[in-house]
Amino acid sequence: MPLPPRRGKPLELRVQRQILWVGSAAVPLRNVSWVEVFRLKPAWGKAGVYFLLLVALAFLVSARLDSTDGGRGPATGVLTLFTLVIVCAVLLWSRKPVLVVELNSGSRVVLTLPTMDELRAIAGQIVYAIDHPEYEFSAVLEQYNTTNNFGSVVNMNGGRGNAGIKL
């Protein structure tokens, strides 16, 4: 059994004897129902919060600078440009390419690498391994959001009286 992933370290993904290992979590390949590679949508909420905070800060700073220099400085324009650059940077950096492996139970594993091509190749290997029991492979990935401080996070959908997992 592989060692569990450490925070901030790469995660090993491998198929061995019809078992998909994601770090120390094991999933039988027959339980994989969906594999897809796509870019996550931009974090509009996070960008909106940054925008509001920076606009408020720009307003306060420009009011302070206008009162000290008699209103002759270009502080408002510079601060507005700075605000727009920060918001655009947040939107661009939040579009990460991800590999999603969904299981029959509705649980998902979401992983990321810098390029879509690498993720597509790994997705193809997973799908190939489902149809070919003898096929094995290994890859190292960056972990996106499959764990927290307490261990694996399971996205549970449906069911009766499902209260989730209490840690």
Side-chain angles (χ1 to χ4, degrees), residues 25-99:
V27 176
L29 279 178
R30 66 182 175 273
N31 289 347
V32 173
S33 63
W34 183 63
V35 178
E36 181 156 4
V37 176
F38 59 90
R39 286 199 181 275
L40 282 178
K41 293 180 182 177
W44 288 101
K46 187 176 183 180
V49 169
Y50 279 137
F51 178 74
L52 292 175
L53 289 174
L54 290 171
V55 164
L57 179 68
F59 177 75
L60 293 173
V61 170
S62 67
R64 175 80 173 157
L65 290 175
D66 286 346
S67 68
T68 59
D69 68 359
R72 295 183 303 261
T76 306
V78 170
L79 290 173
T80 302
L81 181 64
F82 174 74
T83 299
L84 291 174
V85 167
I86 295 294
V87 170
C88 289
V90 168
L91 288 174
L92 290 175
W93 284 328
S94 66
R95 288 186 44 91
K96 294 182 180 184
V98 294
L99 166 65

Side-chain angles (χ1 to χ4, degrees), residues 15-21 26-35 101-106 126-133 135:
V15 171
Q16 186 176 25
R17 293 186 310 223
Q18 284 290 289
I19 302 290
L20 173 63
W21 289 91
V27 176
L29 279 178
R30 66 182 175 273
N31 289 347
V32 173
S33 63
W34 183 63
V35 178
V101 179
E102 187 168 333
L103 310 177
N104 291 335
S105 64
I126 292 171
V127 171
Y128 185 81
I130 291 170
D131 286 338
H132 299 85
Y135 184 71

